[in-house]
Amino acid sequence: MTSKPVVLCLSGLDPSGGAGIQADIEAISYQGCHPTAVITALTVQDTRNVQHFECVDAQLILRQARTVLNDMKVNAIKIGMLGSVAIADAIHCLLREYPQIPVILDPILAAGGGSSLSTSHLIDAINKLILPYTFITTPNTIEARRLAACAETIDRQLVIECIAQTGVKHILLTGTHASTQEVEHHLYRGSEHLQSFQYQRLPGEYHGSGCTLAASLAAFIARQTEIVQASQQALDYTYQSLTHAHAPGTGQLVPDRSFRAEP
Ligand code: PLP
């Protein structure tokens, strides 16, 4: 019997289907891996913004994740919305039990519509409890500055050095929120710059683009793709899903993560 690489996802539920666990499941399935899903938080949101969220009990999250990990060989762990310090703490315990599984962290601090999904205590917990166990994190420029507690004027390399000090192995800094004409993403090993990636800037606003990137990256890492190539392939897939985006609601566009590749 053949088996697919398994990705354990710890993410929030977005009922609009744009971001969160649904984005993970779609992107990971598209890349030929088996997604397993542990929900960290339930949100009330549409394609415009998050109105409210409630965290799942941290011990229940831990029991679900341990049950999956006892049953399957998990090849990568993808972490999205954490929701609370208690959940970060529980996931920290889990990561310490499985140090050999690569962790891909999308540091979700706010919704695209602006609502905060984090507190300063949660940012501290991400820095101290999660990033030291993380193989690669995918902050945008705003998230990177908040993780590093840096002002907007501080230069990019210093921001990266601050984040690298947590012990995280790689950082894929995404450039959608920067004011450059083209979108430039930068991959680092620790604070060493490895590669930049350029894409044409697309006109729309998208719901779940960060989730799509981190989840597809988790799938490539689960398949043991080398880090520069994994980043390139995940960025290409995300870009394609954005160019195929559709408008199911009245707000941001939703990436089409099951688009048919052009022949
Ligand atoms: N996960 C959940 C559950 C969310 O609600 C959001 C944003 O609202 C995100 C992730 C991040 O979405 P994006 O990929 O658009 O940054």
Side-chain angles (χ1 to χ4, degrees):
M1 185 65 74
T2 57
S3 66
K4 295 178 176 186
V6 175
V7 180
L8 171 63
C9 303
L10 297 145
S11 298
L13 175 79
D14 164 11
S16 82
I21 199 76
Q22 183 167 332
D24 294 352
I25 291 172
E26 291 175 3
I28 290 166
S29 304
Y30 187 93
Q31 300 303 342
C33 293
H34 175 67
T36 63
V38 175
I39 311 284
T40 51
L42 301 170
T43 70
V44 178
Q45 71 179 294
D46 55 21
T47 52
R48 291 176 181 271
N49 207 355
V50 174
Q51 295 161 22
H52 176 70
F53 71 87
E54 292 196 15
C55 290
V56 173
D57 176 73
Q59 292 312 310
L60 183 59
I61 291 173
L62 211 45
R63 274 186 67 189
Q64 290 183 72
R66 283 192 177 130
T67 303
V68 170
L69 283 154
N70 285 334
D71 185 41
M72 298 180 192
K73 180 183 179 311
V74 170
N75 302 86
I77 297 177
K78 188 258 165 178
I79 304 174
M81 180 176 170
L82 283 162
S84 74
V85 173
I87 294 175
D89 218 6
I91 293 177
H92 164 79
C93 295
L94 192 74
L95 302 185
R96 288 184 55 165
E97 289 164 26
Y98 294 89
Q100 75 287 3
I101 305 179
V103 174
I104 296 83
L105 171 72
D106 179 9
I108 293 159
L109 306 181
S115 289
S116 179
L117 300 174
S118 64
T119 59
S120 60
H121 293 298
L122 181 56
I123 294 176
D124 272 359
I126 291 174
N127 277 321
K128 294 198 181 97
L129 303 176
I130 308 294
L131 280 169
Y133 299 87
T134 297
F135 181 68
I136 184 163
T137 186
T138 57
N140 60 38
T141 45
I142 300 165
E143 290 161 343
R145 282 178 197 287
R146 288 192 65 199
L147 287 174
C150 284
E152 256 197 53
T153 46
I154 303 292
D155 126 271
R156 187 176 72 216
Q157 186 59 33
L158 279 177
V159 174
I160 292 298
E161 279 168 24
C162 276
I163 299 175
Q165 270 174 18
T166 61
V168 62
K169 300 276 183 308
H170 301 88
I171 302 162
L172 178 57
L173 180 69
T174 64
T176 321
H177 293 80
S179 52
T180 51
Q181 200 180 354
E182 304 242 285
V183 177
E184 278 179 25
H185 310 294
H186 297 275
L187 175 66
Y188 299 83
R189 176 177 294 128
S191 58
E192 176 203 354
H193 190 264
L194 286 186
Q195 182 91 28
S196 25
F197 309 91
Q198 272 201 354
Y199 292 83
Q200 200 187 323
R201 192 171 282 283
L202 297 169
E205 282 193 23
Y206 304 91
H207 197 66
S209 53
C211 307
T212 307
L213 173 64
S216 56
L217 183 56
F220 288 114
I221 288 169
R223 307 179 75 98
Q224 299 193 318
T225 310
E226 179 278 325
I227 193 71
V228 176
Q229 210 190 330
S231 302
Q232 176 81 71
Q233 290 181 355
L235 287 164
D236 285 351
Y237 166 71
T238 304
Y239 185 78
Q240 288 284 315
S241 75
L242 299 182
T243 60
H244 289 84
H246 62 127
T250 53
Q252 299 175 315
L253 304 175
V254 169
D256 183 356
R257 288 169 284 257
S258 357
F259 65 89
R260 277 174 212 269
E262 307 299 337

Short mmCIF file of all heavy atoms in Angstrom, two decimals, residues 24-67:
data_model
loop_
_atom_site.label_atom_id
_atom_site.label_comp_id
_atom_site.label_asym_id
_atom_site.label_seq_id
_atom_site.Cartn_x
_atom_site.Cartn_y
_atom_site.Cartn_z
N ASP A 24 -5.28 25.28 4.50
CA ASP A 24 -4.25 24.25 4.70
C ASP A 24 -4.64 22.96 3.99
O ASP A 24 -3.83 22.36 3.27
CB ASP A 24 -4.10 23.92 6.20
CG ASP A 24 -3.57 25.08 7.02
OD1 ASP A 24 -3.17 26.10 6.43
OD2 ASP A 24 -3.56 24.96 8.26
N ILE A 25 -5.87 22.53 4.22
CA ILE A 25 -6.31 21.24 3.67
C ILE A 25 -6.25 21.27 2.14
O ILE A 25 -5.76 20.34 1.50
CB ILE A 25 -7.74 20.89 4.18
CG1 ILE A 25 -7.66 20.58 5.68
CG2 ILE A 25 -8.33 19.72 3.41
CD1 ILE A 25 -9.00 20.40 6.36
N GLU A 26 -6.72 22.39 1.55
CA GLU A 26 -6.73 22.48 0.09
C GLU A 26 -5.31 22.49 -0.47
O GLU A 26 -5.00 21.79 -1.44
CB GLU A 26 -7.50 23.74 -0.35
CG GLU A 26 -8.99 23.62 -0.07
CD GLU A 26 -9.77 24.91 -0.37
OE1 GLU A 26 -9.17 25.90 -0.86
OE2 GLU A 26 -10.98 24.92 -0.11
N ALA A 27 -4.44 23.32 0.12
CA ALA A 27 -3.07 23.47 -0.42
C ALA A 27 -2.27 22.18 -0.24
O ALA A 27 -1.54 21.75 -1.15
CB ALA A 27 -2.36 24.64 0.27
N ILE A 28 -2.41 21.55 0.91
CA ILE A 28 -1.62 20.34 1.20
C ILE A 28 -2.11 19.18 0.34
O ILE A 28 -1.31 18.40 -0.19
CB ILE A 28 -1.68 20.04 2.72
CG1 ILE A 28 -0.87 21.12 3.46
CG2 ILE A 28 -1.17 18.65 3.05
CD1 ILE A 28 -1.09 21.19 4.95
N SER A 29 -3.42 19.09 0.14
CA SER A 29 -3.96 18.03 -0.73
C SER A 29 -3.49 18.24 -2.16
O SER A 29 -3.10 17.29 -2.85
CB SER A 29 -5.49 18.03 -0.73
OG SER A 29 -5.96 17.91 0.57
N TYR A 30 -3.51 19.50 -2.64
CA TYR A 30 -3.08 19.80 -4.01
C TYR A 30 -1.65 19.32 -4.23
O TYR A 30 -1.29 18.85 -5.30
CB TYR A 30 -3.17 21.31 -4.27
CG TYR A 30 -2.92 21.70 -5.72
CD1 TYR A 30 -3.97 21.83 -6.62
CD2 TYR A 30 -1.63 21.96 -6.18
CE1 TYR A 30 -3.76 22.20 -7.93
CE2 TYR A 30 -1.40 22.33 -7.51
CZ TYR A 30 -2.47 22.44 -8.38
OH TYR A 30 -2.26 22.81 -9.69
N GLN A 31 -0.82 19.44 -3.20
CA GLN A 31 0.59 19.06 -3.33
C GLN A 31 0.82 17.58 -3.04
O GLN A 31 1.95 17.14 -2.88
CB GLN A 31 1.47 19.93 -2.41
CG GLN A 31 1.40 21.41 -2.69
CD GLN A 31 1.76 21.77 -4.13
OE1 GLN A 31 2.39 20.98 -4.84
NE2 GLN A 31 1.37 22.95 -4.58
N GLY A 32 -0.25 16.81 -2.99
CA GLY A 32 -0.11 15.35 -2.91
C GLY A 32 0.23 14.81 -1.53
O GLY A 32 0.70 13.68 -1.40
N CYS A 33 0.00 15.61 -0.48
CA CYS A 33 0.22 15.12 0.88
C CYS A 33 -1.13 14.92 1.57
O CYS A 33 -2.16 15.38 1.10
CB CYS A 33 1.06 16.11 1.67
SG CYS A 33 2.75 16.26 1.06
N HIS A 34 -1.08 14.23 2.72
CA HIS A 34 -2.30 14.00 3.49
C HIS A 34 -2.36 15.00 4.64
O HIS A 34 -1.51 14.96 5.54
CB HIS A 34 -2.29 12.56 4.04
CG HIS A 34 -3.44 12.27 4.94
ND1 HIS A 34 -4.74 12.22 4.48
CD2 HIS A 34 -3.51 12.04 6.28
CE1 HIS A 34 -5.56 11.96 5.49
NE2 HIS A 34 -4.83 11.85 6.60
N PRO A 35 -3.35 15.94 4.61
CA PRO A 35 -3.46 16.89 5.72
C PRO A 35 -4.23 16.29 6.90
O PRO A 35 -5.26 15.65 6.69
CB PRO A 35 -4.25 18.06 5.10
CG PRO A 35 -5.01 17.46 3.96
CD PRO A 35 -4.38 16.16 3.57
N THR A 36 -3.76 16.49 8.11
CA THR A 36 -4.55 16.15 9.29
C THR A 36 -4.80 17.46 10.03
O THR A 36 -3.95 18.34 10.02
CB THR A 36 -3.82 15.14 10.20
OG1 THR A 36 -2.63 15.73 10.69
CG2 THR A 36 -3.48 13.87 9.45
N ALA A 37 -5.97 17.58 10.65
CA ALA A 37 -6.44 18.91 11.05
C ALA A 37 -6.83 18.98 12.52
O ALA A 37 -7.78 18.33 12.95
CB ALA A 37 -7.64 19.28 10.18
N VAL A 38 -6.09 19.77 13.28
CA VAL A 38 -6.46 20.06 14.66
C VAL A 38 -6.78 21.55 14.72
O VAL A 38 -5.94 22.39 14.38
CB VAL A 38 -5.31 19.70 15.63
CG1 VAL A 38 -5.66 20.13 17.05
CG2 VAL A 38 -5.01 18.21 15.57
N ILE A 39 -8.01 21.87 15.14
CA ILE A 39 -8.44 23.27 15.15
C ILE A 39 -8.02 23.93 16.47
O ILE A 39 -8.30 23.40 17.55
CB ILE A 39 -9.99 23.37 15.05
CG1 ILE A 39 -10.55 22.50 13.91
CG2 ILE A 39 -10.44 24.82 14.94
CD1 ILE A 39 -10.38 23.01 12.54
N THR A 40 -7.37 25.08 16.36
CA THR A 40 -6.92 25.80 17.56
C THR A 40 -7.96 26.82 18.04
O THR A 40 -8.04 27.11 19.23
CB THR A 40 -5.62 26.56 17.26
OG1 THR A 40 -5.84 27.34 16.06
CG2 THR A 40 -4.45 25.61 17.05
N ALA A 41 -8.69 27.40 17.09
CA ALA A 41 -9.65 28.45 17.44
C ALA A 41 -10.77 28.48 16.41
O ALA A 41 -10.55 28.16 15.24
CB ALA A 41 -8.95 29.81 17.47
N LEU A 42 -11.95 28.86 16.87
CA LEU A 42 -13.09 29.03 15.96
C LEU A 42 -13.29 30.53 15.78
O LEU A 42 -13.40 31.25 16.78
CB LEU A 42 -14.35 28.42 16.58
CG LEU A 42 -14.27 26.92 16.90
CD1 LEU A 42 -15.47 26.50 17.74
CD2 LEU A 42 -14.21 26.11 15.61
N THR A 43 -13.31 30.97 14.54
CA THR A 43 -13.48 32.41 14.32
C THR A 43 -14.88 32.68 13.75
O THR A 43 -15.50 31.81 13.14
CB THR A 43 -12.45 32.97 13.31
OG1 THR A 43 -12.76 32.48 12.00
CG2 THR A 43 -11.03 32.59 13.69
N VAL A 44 -15.34 33.90 13.96
CA VAL A 44 -16.54 34.39 13.28
C VAL A 44 -16.01 35.41 12.28
O VAL A 44 -15.45 36.43 12.68
CB VAL A 44 -17.50 35.09 14.28
CG1 VAL A 44 -18.72 35.65 13.55
CG2 VAL A 44 -17.91 34.13 15.38
N GLN A 45 -16.09 35.10 11.00
CA GLN A 45 -15.54 36.04 10.03
C GLN A 45 -16.16 35.84 8.65
O GLN A 45 -16.73 34.79 8.34
CB GLN A 45 -14.02 35.92 9.93
CG GLN A 45 -13.46 34.68 9.28
CD GLN A 45 -11.93 34.70 9.22
OE1 GLN A 45 -11.35 35.51 8.52
NE2 GLN A 45 -11.30 33.80 9.95
N ASP A 46 -16.04 36.87 7.84
CA ASP A 46 -16.42 36.78 6.44
C ASP A 46 -15.19 37.17 5.63
O ASP A 46 -14.08 37.23 6.18
CB ASP A 46 -17.65 37.67 6.14
CG ASP A 46 -17.42 39.12 6.56
OD1 ASP A 46 -16.26 39.53 6.71
OD2 ASP A 46 -18.42 39.85 6.74
N THR A 47 -15.36 37.42 4.34
CA THR A 47 -14.19 37.74 3.52
C THR A 47 -13.68 39.16 3.78
O THR A 47 -12.68 39.56 3.20
CB THR A 47 -14.51 37.56 2.01
OG1 THR A 47 -15.69 38.29 1.70
CG2 THR A 47 -14.69 36.10 1.66
N ARG A 48 -14.35 39.92 4.66
CA ARG A 48 -13.89 41.27 4.99
C ARG A 48 -13.01 41.29 6.23
O ARG A 48 -11.93 41.87 6.23
CB ARG A 48 -15.08 42.21 5.22
CG ARG A 48 -15.84 42.49 3.95
CD ARG A 48 -17.07 43.35 4.22
NE ARG A 48 -17.76 43.57 2.95
CZ ARG A 48 -17.49 44.57 2.14
NH1 ARG A 48 -16.57 45.45 2.45
NH2 ARG A 48 -18.14 44.69 1.00
N ASN A 49 -13.46 40.64 7.31
CA ASN A 49 -12.69 40.75 8.56
C ASN A 49 -13.13 39.68 9.56
O ASN A 49 -14.19 39.06 9.41
CB ASN A 49 -12.86 42.14 9.17
CG ASN A 49 -11.67 42.55 10.03
OD1 ASN A 49 -10.75 41.75 10.25
ND2 ASN A 49 -11.68 43.77 10.51
N VAL A 50 -12.32 39.53 10.61
CA VAL A 50 -12.66 38.64 11.73
C VAL A 50 -13.44 39.47 12.75
O VAL A 50 -12.99 40.54 13.16
CB VAL A 50 -11.39 38.06 12.38
CG1 VAL A 50 -11.73 37.25 13.63
CG2 VAL A 50 -10.62 37.20 11.39
N GLN A 51 -14.63 38.97 13.16
CA GLN A 51 -15.44 39.71 14.13
C GLN A 51 -15.21 39.21 15.56
O GLN A 51 -15.35 39.94 16.52
CB GLN A 51 -16.92 39.54 13.78
CG GLN A 51 -17.28 40.18 12.45
CD GLN A 51 -18.59 39.65 11.90
OE1 GLN A 51 -19.42 39.13 12.63
NE2 GLN A 51 -18.76 39.77 10.60
N HIS A 52 -14.84 37.92 15.67
CA HIS A 52 -14.75 37.33 17.02
C HIS A 52 -14.01 36.00 16.89
O HIS A 52 -14.05 35.39 15.83
CB HIS A 52 -16.19 37.09 17.52
CG HIS A 52 -16.28 36.42 18.85
ND1 HIS A 52 -15.93 37.03 20.02
CD2 HIS A 52 -16.66 35.15 19.19
CE1 HIS A 52 -16.10 36.18 21.03
NE2 HIS A 52 -16.54 35.03 20.54
N PHE A 53 -13.34 35.56 17.94
CA PHE A 53 -12.86 34.17 17.94
C PHE A 53 -12.86 33.58 19.34
O PHE A 53 -12.79 34.31 20.32
CB PHE A 53 -11.47 34.04 17.29
CG PHE A 53 -10.32 34.61 18.09
CD1 PHE A 53 -9.66 33.83 19.03
CD2 PHE A 53 -9.87 35.91 17.87
CE1 PHE A 53 -8.58 34.34 19.76
CE2 PHE A 53 -8.80 36.43 18.59
CZ PHE A 53 -8.16 35.65 19.54
N GLU A 54 -12.98 32.26 19.41
CA GLU A 54 -12.91 31.55 20.69
C GLU A 54 -11.92 30.42 20.54
O GLU A 54 -11.95 29.68 19.55
CB GLU A 54 -14.29 31.02 21.07
CG GLU A 54 -15.20 32.19 21.39
CD GLU A 54 -16.48 31.84 22.14
OE1 GLU A 54 -16.58 30.72 22.68
OE2 GLU A 54 -17.37 32.71 22.15
N CYS A 55 -11.04 30.31 21.53
CA CYS A 55 -10.00 29.29 21.47
C CYS A 55 -10.56 27.93 21.90
O CYS A 55 -11.40 27.86 22.79
CB CYS A 55 -8.84 29.67 22.39
SG CYS A 55 -7.94 31.08 21.74
N VAL A 56 -10.01 26.89 21.29
CA VAL A 56 -10.33 25.52 21.72
C VAL A 56 -9.49 25.24 22.97
O VAL A 56 -8.38 25.80 23.12
CB VAL A 56 -10.00 24.53 20.56
CG1 VAL A 56 -10.16 23.09 21.00
CG2 VAL A 56 -10.87 24.83 19.35
N ASP A 57 -10.00 24.39 23.84
CA ASP A 57 -9.27 24.04 25.06
C ASP A 57 -7.89 23.46 24.72
O ASP A 57 -7.78 22.54 23.90
CB ASP A 57 -10.13 23.02 25.84
CG ASP A 57 -9.41 22.53 27.06
OD1 ASP A 57 -9.31 23.30 28.02
OD2 ASP A 57 -8.91 21.39 27.03
N ALA A 58 -6.85 23.99 25.36
CA ALA A 58 -5.48 23.62 25.01
C ALA A 58 -5.22 22.12 25.23
O ALA A 58 -4.51 21.48 24.44
CB ALA A 58 -4.50 24.46 25.82
N GLN A 59 -5.81 21.57 26.29
CA GLN A 59 -5.58 20.14 26.55
C GLN A 59 -6.27 19.25 25.50
O GLN A 59 -5.77 18.18 25.16
CB GLN A 59 -6.07 19.76 27.97
CG GLN A 59 -5.23 20.38 29.08
CD GLN A 59 -3.72 20.20 28.85
OE1 GLN A 59 -3.25 19.08 28.60
NE2 GLN A 59 -2.96 21.29 28.91
N LEU A 60 -7.41 19.74 24.99
CA LEU A 60 -8.10 18.98 23.94
C LEU A 60 -7.27 19.00 22.64
O LEU A 60 -7.14 17.98 21.95
CB LEU A 60 -9.49 19.59 23.71
CG LEU A 60 -10.39 18.89 22.70
CD1 LEU A 60 -10.66 17.44 23.11
CD2 LEU A 60 -11.73 19.63 22.56
N ILE A 61 -6.67 20.15 22.35
CA ILE A 61 -5.79 20.27 21.18
C ILE A 61 -4.64 19.27 21.30
O ILE A 61 -4.32 18.53 20.37
CB ILE A 61 -5.24 21.72 21.07
CG1 ILE A 61 -6.37 22.68 20.71
CG2 ILE A 61 -4.08 21.82 20.07
CD1 ILE A 61 -5.97 24.15 20.74
N LEU A 62 -4.06 19.24 22.49
CA LEU A 62 -2.92 18.36 22.74
C LEU A 62 -3.33 16.89 22.59
O LEU A 62 -2.61 16.09 21.97
CB LEU A 62 -2.43 18.64 24.17
CG LEU A 62 -0.98 18.46 24.50
CD1 LEU A 62 -0.07 19.09 23.45
CD2 LEU A 62 -0.69 19.12 25.86
N ARG A 63 -4.49 16.54 23.11
CA ARG A 63 -4.94 15.13 23.00
C ARG A 63 -5.17 14.74 21.55
O ARG A 63 -4.82 13.64 21.12
CB ARG A 63 -6.25 14.93 23.79
CG ARG A 63 -6.01 14.63 25.25
CD ARG A 63 -7.30 14.28 25.95
NE ARG A 63 -7.90 13.02 25.49
CZ ARG A 63 -9.12 12.62 25.84
NH1 ARG A 63 -9.87 13.38 26.62
NH2 ARG A 63 -9.59 11.48 25.41
N GLN A 64 -5.78 15.66 20.78
CA GLN A 64 -6.03 15.35 19.37
C GLN A 64 -4.72 15.18 18.61
O GLN A 64 -4.55 14.24 17.83
CB GLN A 64 -6.83 16.48 18.72
CG GLN A 64 -8.26 16.58 19.22
CD GLN A 64 -9.01 17.67 18.48
OE1 GLN A 64 -9.33 17.53 17.31
NE2 GLN A 64 -9.28 18.75 19.15
N ALA A 65 -3.80 16.11 18.84
CA ALA A 65 -2.52 16.05 18.10
C ALA A 65 -1.75 14.79 18.48
O ALA A 65 -1.21 14.09 17.60
CB ALA A 65 -1.70 17.30 18.40
N ARG A 66 -1.72 14.47 19.77
CA ARG A 66 -0.97 13.27 20.22
C ARG A 66 -1.59 12.01 19.65
O ARG A 66 -0.89 11.06 19.31
CB ARG A 66 -0.95 13.20 21.74
CG ARG A 66 0.05 14.15 22.35
CD ARG A 66 0.24 13.85 23.83
NE ARG A 66 1.24 14.72 24.40
CZ ARG A 66 1.07 15.44 25.52
NH1 ARG A 66 -0.08 15.38 26.18
NH2 ARG A 66 2.04 16.19 25.98
N THR A 67 -2.91 11.99 19.54
CA THR A 67 -3.59 10.80 19.01
C THR A 67 -3.20 10.60 17.54
O THR A 67 -2.91 9.48 17.12
CB THR A 67 -5.13 10.96 19.17
OG1 THR A 67 -5.39 11.16 20.55
CG2 THR A 67 -5.88 9.74 18.68
#
